């Protein structure tokens, strides 16, 4: 749970909060950054203190000053009541879902959800007697028709992290409130800098802090931020599961957070430029980026979001596998791998047809997810142009 390191203050602009929240040089002998606390055992001065357990820290798993610093900073950015750190983004998702369900319950999950979240619902939750209905991410207020007396949670992810459908979060939040459901949202793509999930009605905002908060592809971390209503449930489950991040990973999250506004703006601008450029390429059938004016989700994105991240997808024109391999295998600046949010550009082929159940993927060409890093945009275009030349040559041979 978040333990403030200095007196609470008003919520400032996100760039200011990213620099100043979660640190108090006067408590660290004047050093700008809080120290890294590594520890398990915390000693108590007296028997009374041990029995009362009322000192700020009682055991390493339940938090350290380093953990509290990052929790405070993220909580400030999210505008929440409490933030809880986890060892990964997926652990933030699973801890949040388990906090609100029990055997016999029902959850509504967007069909565009992060695939490991779907796997958790289909395996662990199913084994615990919790049923899942996947819904069209563009359903909006029609979601009410899917609610049953057993429904407890609505889970959103806007936009979806592969196919980028933008959900009407205010409409879904209103439905959740009306039916006394919990609304949990994965806000990793935009981060609280570009989408204020709690202000738009969510009870819980999840971030895979591995991505943009860490920002350097060198640590795994997750964050759960709650409003006042959801805090007790998440606090109990977080403690019961023994969830805790590593000391070094937490420090790397703190370090990355300080430059998040600058990095995310660069990711946003560069990705939008690359996405616009790809739209004009004859090798591309469709670009999936809500920041583009002709994207189906653009109107909602423009209404609710203040920016975008470096992640989007595109669909190649139908071509043999050899042509796709010729395109991606020899790219100089685009690594091929999972995750995203680091300073480096990435590309990942994907096919959602094997796991989408409520919606249908209509494209025959290979889908590619792009993460645009901090490299020079012209260099990235040159790299992709060379890839398209290889793609066309292989397609014609």
């Amino acid at each position: 749970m978040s333990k403030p390191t200095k007196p609470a203050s008003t919520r400032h602009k996100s760039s200011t909060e990213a620099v100043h929240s979660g640190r108090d040089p006067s408590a660290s002998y004047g050093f700008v950054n809080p120290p890294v606390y590594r520890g398990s055992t915390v000693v108590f001065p007296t028997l009374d203190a041990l029995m009362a357990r009322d000192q700020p820290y009682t055991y390493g798993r339940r938090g350290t000053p380093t953990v509290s610093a990052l929790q405070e900073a993220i909580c400030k950015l999210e505008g929440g009541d409490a933030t809880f750190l986890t060892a990964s983004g997926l652990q933030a998702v699973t801890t949040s879902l388990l906090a609100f369900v029990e055997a016999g319950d029902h959850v509504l999950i967007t069909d565009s959800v992060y695939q490991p979240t779907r796997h958790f619902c289909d395996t662990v939750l199913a084994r615990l007697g919790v049923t899942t209905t996947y819904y069209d991410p563009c359903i909006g207020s029609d979601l009410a028709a899917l609610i049953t007396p057993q429904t407890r949670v609505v889970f959103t992810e806007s936009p979806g992290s592969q196919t980028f459908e933008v959900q009407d979060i205010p409409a879904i939040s209103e439905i959740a409130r009306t039916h006394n459901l919990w609304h949990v949202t994965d806000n990793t793509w935009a981060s609280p800098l570009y989408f204020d999930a709690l202000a738009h009605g969510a009870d819980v905002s999840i971030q895979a802090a591995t991505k943009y908060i860490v920002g350097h592809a060198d640590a795994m971390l997750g964050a759960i931020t709650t409003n006042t209503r959801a805090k007790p449930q998440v606090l109990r489950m977080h403690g019961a599961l023994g969830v805790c991040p590593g000391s070094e990973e937490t420090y790397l999250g703190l370090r990355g957070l300080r430059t998040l506004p600058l990095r995310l703006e660069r990711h946003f601008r560069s990705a939008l430029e690359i996405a616009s450029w790809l739209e004009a390429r004859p090798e591309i059938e469709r670009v999936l980026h809500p920041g583009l004016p002709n994207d189906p989700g653009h109107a909602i994105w423009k209404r609710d979001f203040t920016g975008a991240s470096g992640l989007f997808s595109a669909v190649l024109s139908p071509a043999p596998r050899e042509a796709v391999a010729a395109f991606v295998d020899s790219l100089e600046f685009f690594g091929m791998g999972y995750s995203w949010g680091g300073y480096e550009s990435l590309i990942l082929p994907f096919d959602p047809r094997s796991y989408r159940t409520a919606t249908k993927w209509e494209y025959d060409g290979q889908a590619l997810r792009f993460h645009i890093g901090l490299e020079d945009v012209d260099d990235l275009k040159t790299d992709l142009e060379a890839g398209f030349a290889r793609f066309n040559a292989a397609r014609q041979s």
Side-chain angles (χ1 to χ4, degrees), residues 259-280:
T259 60
L260 174 61
L262 292 173
R263 289 185 289 104
L264 198 57
E265 183 178 5
R266 175 67 176 268
H267 287 298
F268 168 29
R269 301 300 176 191
S270 295
L272 193 58
E273 182 175 340
I274 293 289
S276 299
W277 178 78
L278 286 173
E279 271 195 314

Side-chain angles (χ1 to χ4, degrees), residues 46-104:
T46 65
L47 178 61
D48 287 345
L50 177 67
M51 298 304 292
R53 296 175 59 83
D54 61 356
Q55 62 188 42
Y57 303 98
T58 59
Y59 188 58
R61 172 167 49 79
R62 295 185 176 274
T64 69
T66 311
V67 169
S68 295
L70 182 54
Q71 288 179 156
E72 179 196 328
I74 293 174
C75 199
K76 276 283 192 179
L77 288 174
E78 292 270 22
D81 187 61
T83 293
F84 306 85
L85 295 185
T86 64
S88 69
L90 179 59
Q91 193 174 61
V93 169
T94 59
T95 301
S96 298
L97 287 172
L98 288 171
F100 301 112
V101 297
E102 58 186 41

Side-chain angles (χ1 to χ4, degrees), residues 292-330:
L292 296 175
N294 62 350
D295 188 271
H298 180 72
I300 295 178
W301 172 81
K302 191 172 182 180
R303 181 193 72 189
D304 294 344
F305 291 72
T306 58
S309 71
L311 196 72
F312 68 93
S313 291
V315 182
L316 288 168
S317 299
R321 183 181 182 280
E322 293 76 15
V324 177
F327 175 61
V328 300
D329 284 354
S330 297

Side-chain angles (χ1 to χ4, degrees), residues 106-111 131-135 143 146 148 151 357-358:
H106 170 246
V107 297
L108 291 167
I109 308 288
T110 176
D111 202 35
T131 58
T132 300
T133 297
Y134 295 100
Y135 64 87
L143 183 72
L146 301 179
T148 74
T151 307
T357 56

Side-chain angles (χ1 to χ4, degrees), residues 120-397:
F120 176 77
C121 293
D122 292 345
T123 56
V124 177
L125 287 190
R127 192 170 71 242
L128 296 177
V130 177
T131 58
T132 300
T133 297
Y134 295 100
Y135 64 87
D136 184 337
C138 300
I139 197 170
S141 59
D142 290 340
L143 183 72
L146 301 179
I147 295 171
T148 74
Q150 290 73 41
T151 307
R152 297 292 177 267
V153 174
V154 176
F155 192 98
T156 56
E157 180 182 300
S158 184
S161 61
Q162 284 191 333
T163 48
F164 295 92
E165 298 91 342
V166 181
Q167 297 192 252
D168 191 339
I169 298 297
I172 291 173
S173 294
E174 180 60 31
I175 294 295
R177 274 194 303 274
T178 300
H179 293 268
N180 197 30
L181 308 179
W182 298 103
H183 180 187
V184 179
T185 192
D186 187 331
N187 194 31
T188 303
W189 182 82
S191 88
L193 270 64
Y194 291 157
F195 183 68
D196 195 338
L198 300 182
H200 281 83
D203 296 298
V204 175
S205 176
I206 292 167
Q207 291 186 73
T210 304
K211 293 0 186 225
Y212 287 118
I213 289 178
V214 169
H216 293 75
D218 54 4
M220 304 291 291
L221 203 63
I224 308 166
T225 301
T226 72
N227 60 16
T228 302
R229 184 171 87 103
K231 174 182 172 180
Q233 282 81 356
V234 176
L235 173 62
R236 284 194 292 268
M237 185 55 64
H238 187 270
L241 294 176
V243 174
C244 62
S247 301
E248 299 298 326
E249 289 79 5
T250 303
Y251 164 75
L252 291 172
L254 272 169
R255 184 195 65 178
L257 187 75
R258 304 310 181 193
T259 60
L260 174 61
L262 292 173
R263 289 185 289 104
L264 198 57
E265 183 178 5
R266 175 67 176 268
H267 287 298
F268 168 29
R269 301 300 176 191
S270 295
L272 193 58
E273 182 175 340
I274 293 289
S276 299
W277 178 78
L278 286 173
E279 271 195 314
R281 296 289 312 192
E283 301 88 354
I284 296 294
E285 183 175 351
R286 170 79 186 280
V287 177
L288 308 171
H289 189 311
L292 296 175
N294 62 350
D295 188 271
H298 180 72
I300 295 178
W301 172 81
K302 191 172 182 180
R303 181 193 72 189
D304 294 344
F305 291 72
T306 58
S309 71
L311 196 72
F312 68 93
S313 291
V315 182
L316 288 168
S317 299
R321 183 181 182 280
E322 293 76 15
V324 177
F327 175 61
V328 300
D329 284 354
S330 297
L331 290 171
E332 181 179 3
F333 299 125
F334 288 84
M336 190 157 41
Y338 299 98
S339 198
W340 42 276
Y343 56 83
E344 77 288 2
S345 290
L346 296 171
I347 191 168
L348 181 71
F350 70 93
D351 183 355
R353 286 175 293 188
S354 64
Y355 48 85
R356 298 290 282 261
T357 56
T359 54
K360 186 177 180 182
W361 182 247
E362 301 287 352
Y363 302 100
D364 294 323
Q366 177 65 60
L368 301 171
R369 189 178 72 181
F370 292 85
H371 177 253
I372 305 303
L374 304 181
E375 302 94 341
D376 182 87
V377 170
D378 289 337
D379 286 338
L380 294 178
K381 289 179 182 177
T382 298
D383 194 18
L384 292 172
E385 281 182 331
F388 285 129
R390 296 190 300 270
F391 174 81
N392 289 325
R395 187 168 53 169
Q396 294 165 8
S397 62

